[in-house]
Amino acid sequence: MIVAIDGTVSSGKSTIARELAKYIGFLHINTGAIYRALTVKFLNNNIKPDELEKIKNAIMSTIIDMKHVDNATKIFIDGNDVTQIINTPVISQNVSHYSKIPEVRGFARFLQHQFAGANNCVIEGRDIGTVVFPNADVKIFMTADVDVRAKRRLTDYEKQGKTFTLEEVKAEILARDKEDEERPISPLKPAKDAFIYYNNGSDIKKVILDLVQIIENKTGYKI
């Protein structure tokens, strides 16, 4: 079974997808981490978004893996653990420039199907229910008010020791929303048969139970 969770940046979809997967015993696949890991490689090799040939060559020599370590999913690129690096501001500010490139999206999609394989999984991203797994058993589109999302992202940055104002983070999120929604390849939008879930609260347990109810009602699968 595939549970697809798409959503806006800082809507809480990564946390919820991870905790939901743990709760129901499914594999958790964070597709955004794949794009972020690739962005790490491109930036480390000084490859700009408009240098398509260099991007193609870099992709051909790239090995990305996701492993469960200490009850958490870690992501490796070319053997290096980049789990912490992928969520730093410089990656957040650049990932959308690379993720809209067709060759990058095609490679990421290949990896997503490879990781999903024959496993029951909760897979999250921005085009899972519309493009990557259009026949997913359950599709959920998660969002939240922009002020709520900005506060969440600011908290994440503060934990990393990064200093930004709330207005700076809000502007970053609005810019990312615009890019995601207007990109010509796989724009961010809910699938027609997706459940829209507004995650404006902080009670993770309630959100998990709500989604479990959605899954059971949609599929008849008893959790």
Side-chain angles (χ1 to χ4, degrees):
M1 179 190 297
I2 294 176
V3 178
I5 301 181
D6 290 310
T8 54
V9 63
S10 293
S11 60
K13 66 182 181 298
S14 293
T15 298
I16 296 304
R18 181 181 67 246
E19 295 305 314
L20 176 63
K22 287 181 183 178
Y23 188 87
I24 62 180
F26 282 17
L27 178 69
H28 171 227
I29 301 174
N30 180 341
T31 61
I34 296 173
Y35 290 110
R36 286 172 174 269
L38 286 168
T39 300
V40 170
K41 179 163 184 173
F42 297 145
L43 292 180
N44 284 347
N45 287 277
N46 297 313
I47 300 174
K48 298 176 182 178
D50 61 352
E51 296 180 312
L52 187 56
E53 286 305 313
K54 289 185 179 180
I55 287 174
K56 289 179 180 179
N57 290 333
I59 287 174
M60 290 178 64
S61 65
T62 296
I63 298 175
I64 292 182
D65 195 13
M66 283 185 171
K67 300 178 182 178
H68 288 283
V69 180
D70 298 328
N71 204 32
T73 300
K74 291 184 177 294
I75 186 163
F76 300 79
I77 187 161
D78 299 329
N80 299 310
D81 184 351
V82 294
T83 308
Q84 299 302 319
I85 299 173
I86 62 174
N87 291 313
T88 55
V90 66
I91 302 304
S92 296
Q93 292 161 7
N94 284 279
V95 62
S96 63
H97 302 311
Y98 297 101
S99 64
K100 63 186 178 184
I101 299 170
E103 287 78 5
V104 174
R105 300 197 72 80
F107 182 58
R109 193 175 306 162
F110 164 76
L111 291 173
Q112 290 159 24
H113 281 275
Q114 185 179 61
F115 292 145
N119 295 295
N120 287 326
C121 63
V122 176
I123 182 166
E124 43 117 344
R126 287 184 172 80
D127 62 352
I128 308 305
T130 53
V131 177
V132 184
F133 290 103
N135 296 318
D137 301 274
V138 181
K139 301 175 187 177
I140 296 163
F141 188 90
M142 187 168 292
T143 190
D145 294 338
V146 67
D147 289 329
V148 173
R149 294 190 284 139
K151 289 177 182 177
R152 286 177 181 154
R153 178 53 63 90
L154 181 61
T155 297
D156 289 340
Y157 283 161
E158 289 172 345
K159 289 178 180 177
Q160 299 167 17
K162 307 295 182 180
T163 303
F164 293 92
T165 67
L166 182 61
E167 287 305 311
E168 287 174 331
V169 177
K170 184 176 178 178
E172 175 192 323
I173 286 177
L174 290 173
R176 181 62 189 274
D177 284 349
K178 188 173 188 296
E179 282 199 52
D180 285 342
E181 293 167 1
E182 295 180 358
R183 67 184 178 218
I185 305 296
S186 302
L188 174 66
K189 61 181 180 179
K192 292 181 180 180
D193 54 346
F195 294 86
I196 311 297
Y197 192 95
Y198 284 87
N199 183 25
N200 282 325
S202 58
D203 188 344
I204 294 177
K205 184 176 180 179
K206 180 183 183 303
V207 178
I208 297 302
L209 293 178
D210 286 346
L211 299 188
V212 165
Q213 190 65 57
I214 289 172
I215 294 169
E216 290 185 336
N217 290 344
K218 179 69 166 57
T219 67
Y221 184 91
K222 295 304 176 183
I223 297 169

